[in-house]
């Protein structure tokens, strides 16, 4: 199959909608990361997403809508707080889990009785959904396990020959996947941190953060969000989080060069092995996946990343990095 990359325009959106209406899959821009889109209500189309990505069958997909009016048909119940959150944060990087209506096929929800729904801010994504008239299931458009794509070129790298079309709307403004929440006893429970932060959500209800966000789930432990148990977001290089800052970070990296080494620091001067991954959590979120992919392109063996702040969007950066690093956090030798 030939994979076409077309710039976002009324004509390319029309072409994407035709493919999707015929049961096909398309690479779709969103403000979080690029998605692999298919009709969320078409079992066969959704099954093809799992095949194209090599994604485990029990990892459910997020269903994308273009207006709040599309929600009631997809779910059995909408808590009041969810409606208030939708009014405040949709379109935007917030995914909410609801009891699913029968119209959602089991393959879309990974066999669960619940469904994850989000309305993106991206105009291109909403245009595609509007042109189709049905909700779109779209996981990140990378091969399962590799860093998520934040440009159309990243999608092309992973999906060339597997899908007919990618819509190119430039680099994603958020850069990490959406915040995923469910509701438990009146509280907002964060399953995956993202662009809508715990601080922002806490204005609406008490917020709790799932322990799988910052810790490695034990073997066979039941996790609320199936995606949290897989190795994720990883380049081929060995990634380590370095829990040091400033000179101590530079010292760790220089003392532990191992093969072709890249060191991603926070606001560092770019020289030798060092590259800057952004002075703020927002910039780090935007650049993280692109830099991990670049490390692979440059043939890196080892990638050191300075420990991010866990405030605001920083928690999402930390969560993705922990998984890219396989939970390996290192420090300078105390004896030094
Ligand atoms: P991705 O499609 O790669 O952005 O991943 C979607 C994330 O949402 C994964 O971590 C899933 O485990 C999570 N998710 C989707 N649907 C549900 C659901 N019904 N319950 C819990 N987590 C979900
Ligand atoms: Mg993903």
């Amino acid at each position: 199959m030939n994979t076409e990359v077309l710039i976002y325009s009324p004509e390319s959106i029309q072409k994407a909608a035709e493919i999707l209406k015929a049961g096909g899959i398309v690479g779709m821009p969103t403000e979080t990361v690029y998605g692999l889109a298919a009709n969320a209500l078409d079992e066969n189309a959704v099954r093809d997403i799992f095949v194209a990505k090599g994604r485990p069958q029990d990892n459910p997909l997020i269903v994308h809508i273009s207006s709040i009016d599309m929600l009631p048909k997809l779910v059995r119940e909408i808590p009041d707080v969810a409606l208030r959150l939708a009014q405040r944060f949709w379109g935007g990087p917030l995914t909410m889990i609801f009891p699913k209506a029968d119209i959602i096929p089991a393959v879309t929800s990974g066999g669960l009785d619940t469904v994850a729904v989000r309305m993106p801010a991206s105009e291109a994504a909403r245009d595609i959904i509007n042109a189709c008239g049905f909700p779109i299931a779209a996981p990140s458009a990378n091969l399962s396990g590799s860093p998520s794509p934040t440009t159309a070129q990243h999608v092309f790298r992973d999906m060339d020959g597997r899908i007919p079309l990618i819509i190119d709307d430039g680099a994603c403004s958020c850069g990490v996947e959406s915040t995923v929440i469910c509701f438990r006893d009146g509280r907002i429970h964060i399953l995956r941190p993202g662009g809508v932060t715990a601080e922002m959500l806490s204005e609406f209800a008490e917020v709790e953060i799932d322990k799988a966000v910052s810790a490695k789930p034990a073997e066979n432990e039941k996790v609320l969000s199936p995606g949290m148990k897989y190795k994720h977001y990883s380049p081929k290089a060995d990634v380590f989080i370095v829990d040091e800052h400033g000179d101590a970070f530079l010292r760790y990296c220089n003392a532990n060069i191992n093969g072709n080494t890249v060191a991603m620091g926070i606001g560092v001067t770019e020289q030798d092995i060092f590259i800057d991954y952004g002075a703020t959590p927002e910039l780090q979120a935007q650049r993280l996946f692109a830099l991990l992919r670049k490390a692979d392109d440059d043939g890196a063996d080892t990638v050191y990343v300075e420990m991010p702040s866990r405030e605001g969007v920083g928690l999402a950066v930390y969560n993705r990095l922990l998984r890219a690093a396989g939970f390996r956090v290192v420090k300078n030798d105390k004896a030094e």
Side-chain angles (χ1 to χ4, degrees):
M1 182 187 300
N2 226 347
T3 301
E4 219 182 342
V5 181
L6 296 177
I7 301 289
Y8 168 42
S9 72
E11 293 73 32
S12 64
I13 294 297
Q14 220 34 59
K15 187 154 188 185
E18 275 163 31
I19 294 170
L20 290 163
K21 283 179 186 170
I25 8 183
V26 163
M28 172 176 88
T30 82
E31 73 280 15
T32 57
V33 302
Y34 273 71
L36 212 51
N39 181 350
L41 308 181
D42 178 342
E43 243 173 86
N44 292 324
V46 170
R47 208 163 275 129
D48 286 345
I49 293 183
F50 283 88
V51 174
K53 273 184 70 79
R55 181 176 174 109
Q57 296 278 345
D58 68 344
N59 194 1
L61 307 182
I62 293 170
V63 174
H64 294 71
I65 58 178
S66 53
S67 82
I68 296 185
D69 301 344
M70 291 172 82
L71 182 63
K73 252 174 68 180
L74 307 176
V75 306
R76 289 200 308 277
E77 190 193 315
I78 305 175
D80 282 347
V81 63
L83 212 51
R84 283 186 281 127
L85 290 170
Q87 276 153 1
R88 170 69 182 79
F89 296 113
W90 281 1
L94 179 67
T95 296
M96 296 190 263
I97 312 274
F98 301 93
K100 87 172 187 68
D102 291 341
I103 194 176
I104 303 285
V107 339
T108 303
S109 67
L112 298 174
D113 189 34
T114 52
V115 62
V117 185
R118 164 169 117 83
M119 180 164 116
S122 157
E123 226 175 276
R126 276 153 68 165
D127 282 357
I128 291 174
I129 302 165
N130 279 333
C132 288
F134 47 70
I136 297 273
S140 49
N142 52 305
L143 290 173
S144 206
S146 72
S148 301
T150 55
T151 67
Q153 289 66 41
H154 294 160
V155 181
F156 187 80
R157 266 293 185 87
D158 281 19
M159 292 297 151
D160 184 21
R162 293 169 182 254
I163 59 175
L165 175 63
I166 300 163
I167 302 295
D168 184 352
D169 190 28
C172 300
S173 59
C174 180
V176 288
E177 299 82 351
S178 59
T179 305
V180 179
I181 61 170
C182 63
F183 304 98
R184 296 216 305 197
D185 310 321
R187 294 190 299 274
I188 297 172
H189 188 85
I190 299 185
L191 296 169
R192 177 176 75 182
V196 173
T197 64
E199 292 84 345
M200 289 152 84
L201 293 168
S202 66
E203 286 174 29
F204 291 80
E206 194 186 324
V207 172
E208 57 191 18
I209 298 173
D210 197 87
K211 65 182 194 315
V213 164
S214 305
K216 185 176 183 172
E219 202 72 29
N220 295 325
E221 185 181 345
K222 193 173 179 314
V223 288
L224 282 173
S225 181
M228 284 295 169
K229 64 186 176 190
Y230 298 109
K231 181 161 185 191
H232 244 109
Y233 319 117
S234 263
K236 292 184 197 74
D238 269 332
V239 181
F240 298 87
I241 299 178
V242 181
D243 190 11
E244 302 285 3
H245 295 289
D247 286 347
F249 171 70
L250 305 186
R251 184 147 43 86
Y252 181 91
C253 299
N254 281 320
N256 291 280
I257 288 176
N258 185 11
N260 184 354
T261 299
V262 171
M264 293 165 47
I266 297 172
V268 295
T269 306
E270 301 207 340
Q271 57 182 356
D272 306 324
I273 60 170
F274 292 96
I275 47 172
D276 179 20
Y277 86 108
T280 65
E282 285 74 18
L283 286 173
Q284 291 159 17
Q286 275 173 9
R287 293 181 194 170
L288 178 67
F289 288 132
L291 287 175
L292 291 178
R293 279 178 177 261
K294 185 170 183 307
D296 265 352
D297 293 346
D298 295 346
D301 301 298
T302 308
V303 178
Y304 295 124
V305 189
E306 185 171 344
M307 176 68 87
S309 144
R310 277 157 259 183
E311 303 285 304
V313 187
L315 187 64
V317 174
Y318 175 65
N319 169 266
R320 306 309 190 272
L321 264 177
L322 266 181
R323 278 158 180 83
F327 296 89
R328 290 176 300 197
V329 179
V330 293
K331 273 178 95 61
N332 281 322
D333 215 319
K334 278 284 170 284
E336 275 180 80

